[in-house]
Amino acid sequence: MKSFRTIAFLAGAFASLVCSAPAFADELVVYSARNEHLIQPIFDAYTKQTGVEIKYITDKEGPLLQRLLAEGKNTPADLLITVDAGNLWHAASEGLLQPVDSQILKENIPANLRDEQDRWFGLSLRARTIVYSTERVKPEQLSTYAALGDEAWKGRLLLRTSKKVYNQSLVAMMIAEYGEEQTEQIVRSWVANLAAAPFSNDTQAMEAIVAGQGDVAIVNTYYFGRLLRKQPDLKLALFWPNQEQAGSGVHVNVSGAGVTRYAKHPEAAVKFLEWLSSEQAQNLFADANLEYPVNPKVAPNAEVAAWGTFVPSPFNLTQAGKLQEQAMRLMDRAGYR
Ligand code: FE
């Protein structure tokens, strides 16, 4: 959703292009696929601390990438912020981001949560995990993502649509872990166990469990957190799968950012990224959406910590992008709509 602020800013950006105003290092321009309410407080904190003004537009992922492509060298954008490693990888593979060589970013962000070629960096972490009915399921009955395809879950599993990048990344990471053949068997077994056609979002899947339409689903942790805030007596709980196998773990993904290829303030952009990854800013960034900090030195807030601790999958999230097409074809073959 574009705000008046956005329109005003666009007019300003256009004017500055026409006048070819000099680029001031004390300002940054951000294109964000994250909502205004999630990013504005962080930008404000940075401006207050450093004096660097941050202008931004928010839009959906697709239009923002189209816009960066169309603007090319003339883009006013210094940074792209978006969710999901699949989307970040896509922006990088379109040549829209530049590599950043920063020791601070390498120290603050685990290697599997940033691009192998340093073009994007995870800044907050979300897990895509199992949620279950506390009325009809005991956690001992759950174990792995794959086991949701067991006979015991026939007619009890609920999923979000395969069109959503979150599930494309989940399946891509499963291909990285198990190979294509085994992943296809797992996805087929999920489809055979579905209690209802896939939903358009995670919250609907959870509400369907509450309504008794199914008993288990796979969702991003922050959607669970949001629903729990609205309904403190929610009869749902999170389960952390794949904890027993060495080298496996809960599927995690990130929201993150990269410096645009034609950034007018690349040094200021890197400084801002470094600040976002710092102990000081990580909670601010993660808490805005009930996510986990990526910086291992920073603990999640109490609300998020209450969901328990888990071992995350150690696989590099670059795979979510590289294997995305393969994952989409696999889900199509398996009848996951
Ligand atoms: Fe989301």
Side-chain angles (χ1 to χ4, degrees), residues 141-284:
Q141 295 172 280
L142 294 160
S143 58
T144 63
Y145 294 101
L148 293 177
D150 290 351
E151 193 64 29
W153 302 106
K154 189 138 214 109
R156 302 171 73 188
L157 175 64
L158 299 165
L159 293 174
R160 182 178 187 159
T161 172
S162 64
K163 308 289 177 286
K164 182 68 187 181
V165 68
Y166 301 159
N167 285 329
Q168 294 164 6
S169 291
L170 169 67
V171 172
M173 296 305 281
M174 286 168 68
I175 295 173
E177 184 169 349
Y178 305 119
E180 183 162 16
E181 206 180 304
Q182 204 185 331
T183 303
E184 185 165 338
Q185 280 172 16
I186 295 167
V187 174
R188 280 184 189 280
S189 70
W190 286 353
V191 172
N193 280 351
L194 285 180
F199 295 92
S200 61
N201 66 57
D202 286 7
T203 306
Q204 284 175 357
M206 284 186 287
E207 283 169 342
I209 297 180
V210 172
Q213 217 181 337
D215 296 334
V216 285
I218 299 174
V219 298
N220 280 3
T221 40
Y222 56 88
Y223 291 115
F224 172 79
R226 285 184 205 169
L227 199 58
L228 196 60
R229 267 189 186 172
K230 275 197 247 166
Q231 302 173 39
D233 61 342
L234 194 64
K235 301 281 193 289
L236 298 176
L238 295 177
F239 178 83
W240 308 117
N242 295 49
Q243 297 298 280
E244 308 300 328
Q245 304 104 315
S248 190
V250 174
H251 171 67
V252 292
N253 208 319
V254 291
S255 81
V259 178
T260 63
R261 184 171 178 188
Y262 297 112
K264 305 296 179 287
H265 315 97
E267 279 153 35
V270 172
K271 279 214 168 60
F272 180 53
L273 273 186
E274 290 174 342
W275 180 81
L276 286 172
S277 75
S278 72
E279 290 180 58
Q280 175 192 6
Q282 273 283 286
N283 278 126
L284 200 58

